[in-house]
Amino acid sequence: MSVARTRTRTDPAHPKPAAQSGASAAKSAGKTAEKSAADAGKSAADKEKTSTEHRRDLLEAMLRIRRFEERCVELYSAAKIRGFVHLYIGEEAVAVGVNEALTPEDAVVSTYREHGHALARGITAEALMAEMYGRTTGCSGGRGGSMHLFDASRRFYGGSAIVAGGLPLAAGLALADRMRGRAHVTCCFFGDGAFAEGAFHETANLAALWKLPLLLVCENNLYAMGTALAREHAQTDLAMRAASYGMPAWAVNGMDVEAVEQAARRAVEGIRAGTGPHFLELRTYRFRAHSMYDPDRYRAKAEVERWKERDPIGLLTDRMRESGEPAGEPGDEELARMEQRIAAEIDDAVEAAEQAPEEPVENLLRHVTSAPAGTAG
């Protein structure tokens, strides 16, 4: 992790002290050198501590997503969760890395594979699990389910079942922020399948034309549902295609959470500087099928296993192990405590969802139809 450097300067209101001479100067210089060495050592230790703690935070965030979804698989198999469920397992580095570069005031628009985005954004496991169960305590009141998570208080403007459907909405949010004079960024996640939709190209064109504060994040997992990217697109370099709209665009290893964070921070800084939209092609891979209903017969098992060797969680733990950092070793106590915290958090979320109420039948039309003219409510 890079740490921002600060520049020192001489304040005209506080001139330098007069020069010393002889033994006094030598003694003073010796003390200064000693203090500088101590300060440098302390600064390096603080920097290392900050880097280590940050890596642990990144690891815990990815583990939370992974364990949450693994529990969802169990609950789906037990018929506790119904409907469509699209798992994010394997792509955790994207959600965690990008969200590290965003502030709470920024907006996020997601896809139907959005559990990871929501958790990384700060929506609690309890609110998400209740939504998966279709309970009123869910983040969408139990009406959205797995594909339509929403939390306006965190400026998380939901998943969308329509491929590329979130892109025009994200452009609208970015335009609204700019018109209101708010220095916010809107981040829109979408898959490689969105490149086959006009909504992507229309959004990219308008965003570049109007220089909207929009971060376009393409999670290129090589398959739009069950169709390989190379079988659908003559040009598979998506970053290059996005750059044709006149916006900065580059590809990033989407399995490396630190690389993702660095790229996202660079893009967000450019957007906040007023240079317009930026595009990131995050090359990643989903380890599970497109959805829980998908038999996953369109890709070789050997291919999946090769990508699992690049597991973002394993990559970060290996890096931490090489650096001798806590939580780097599989048997490390810090990692064990991390897993225990996450397990307890998810257990509590499941218990709360089991006990949460379902929406009563008399509320069936609530939020669906408006009240007749002239009536209250």
Side-chain angles (χ1 to χ4, degrees):
M1 292 298 299
S2 59
V3 177
R5 295 180 179 177
T6 56
R7 250 188 276 181
T8 58
R9 63 179 176 83
T10 300
D11 190 337
H14 298 82
K16 294 180 181 179
Q20 295 174 304
S21 61
S24 176
K27 183 178 180 181
S28 177
K31 288 183 177 179
T32 300
E34 184 179 349
K35 183 177 185 301
S36 297
D39 288 346
K42 181 179 179 182
S43 176
D46 289 345
K47 180 178 179 181
E48 182 63 27
K49 181 181 178 182
T50 300
S51 175
T52 298
E53 289 179 343
H54 186 63
R55 278 180 168 174
R56 286 205 299 262
D57 290 342
L58 295 176
L59 178 59
E60 184 164 359
M62 290 194 293
L63 279 170
R64 179 175 291 104
I65 296 170
R66 180 72 59 90
R67 302 298 178 245
F68 179 89
E69 294 214 307
E70 288 172 346
R71 181 64 67 85
C72 286
V73 172
E74 296 175 10
L75 294 168
Y76 188 91
S77 299
K80 298 283 188 177
I81 294 175
R82 303 296 182 91
F84 284 95
V85 174
H86 302 82
L87 300 173
Y88 200 64
I89 294 174
E91 301 185 24
E92 296 90 350
V94 174
V96 173
V98 171
N99 273 281
E100 283 294 318
L102 302 175
T103 70
E105 291 74 30
D106 295 329
V108 174
V109 178
S110 187
T111 69
Y112 49 72
R113 196 183 306 280
E114 86 272 38
H115 307 154
H117 304 151
L119 286 167
R121 186 62 179 167
I123 301 177
T124 66
E126 182 174 326
L128 293 189
M129 191 61 77
E131 190 60 40
M132 301 290 283
Y133 269 69
R135 303 302 170 92
T136 57
T137 54
C139 59
S140 299
R143 293 190 168 216
S146 171
M147 300 173 70
H148 302 284
L149 306 175
F150 192 96
D151 189 340
S153 68
R154 288 178 172 80
R155 298 205 77 198
F156 186 83
Y157 296 113
S160 173
I162 302 172
V163 174
L167 282 153
L169 300 178
L173 288 166
L175 178 61
D177 279 339
R178 196 185 67 181
M179 292 178 70
R180 293 176 179 177
R182 301 189 300 202
H184 301 162
V185 171
T186 296
C187 172
C188 184
F189 292 97
F190 53 94
D192 50 282
F195 267 77
E197 300 291 337
F200 167 76
H201 300 280
E202 293 164 357
T203 299
N205 179 63
L206 285 178
L209 185 65
W210 295 341
K211 293 191 179 300
L212 297 182
L214 182 62
L215 175 59
L216 298 171
V217 178
C218 177
E219 297 180 304
N220 181 6
N221 61 25
L222 302 180
Y223 291 91
M225 294 190 179
T227 304
L229 182 69
R231 294 176 63 89
E232 184 180 12
H233 296 275
Q235 175 52 261
T236 58
D237 189 332
L238 304 184
M240 183 178 73
R241 292 173 65 184
S244 71
Y245 286 101
M247 69 179 76
W250 64 95
V252 183
N253 177 7
M255 308 301 277
D256 184 339
V257 66
E258 292 184 299
V260 172
E261 180 184 0
Q262 183 180 19
R265 288 191 184 280
R266 173 185 166 194
V268 168
E269 286 174 5
I271 295 169
R272 294 198 200 282
T275 58
H278 283 54
F279 176 96
L280 296 178
E281 178 192 348
L282 300 182
R283 294 174 177 174
T284 184
Y285 198 84
R286 52 177 169 79
F287 297 162
R288 303 292 295 244
H290 169 69
S291 73
M292 292 295 293
Y293 283 110
D294 179 15
D296 200 12
R297 295 172 181 167
Y298 45 83
R299 56 184 186 176
K301 292 182 179 179
E303 176 186 300
V304 178
E305 293 305 314
R306 283 196 304 272
W307 275 92
K308 284 183 177 180
E309 293 175 1
R310 300 172 59 186
D311 188 328
I313 294 174
L315 179 64
L316 183 58
T317 53
D318 286 345
R319 189 172 295 160
M320 295 172 73
R321 182 182 301 116
E322 292 168 2
S323 302
E325 299 175 27
E329 292 287 350
D332 182 82
E333 292 182 4
E334 176 61 29
L335 181 59
R337 287 193 294 268
M338 194 181 291
E339 290 276 20
Q340 289 171 359
R341 285 195 302 269
I342 293 170
E345 182 181 334
I346 295 174
D347 285 344
D348 290 344
V350 172
E351 183 179 355
E354 295 274 3
Q355 298 176 0
E358 296 180 344
E359 191 169 21
V361 175
E362 53 267 26
N363 286 352
L364 184 64
L365 297 182
R366 187 166 175 257
H367 303 310
V368 176
T369 60
S370 61
T375 63

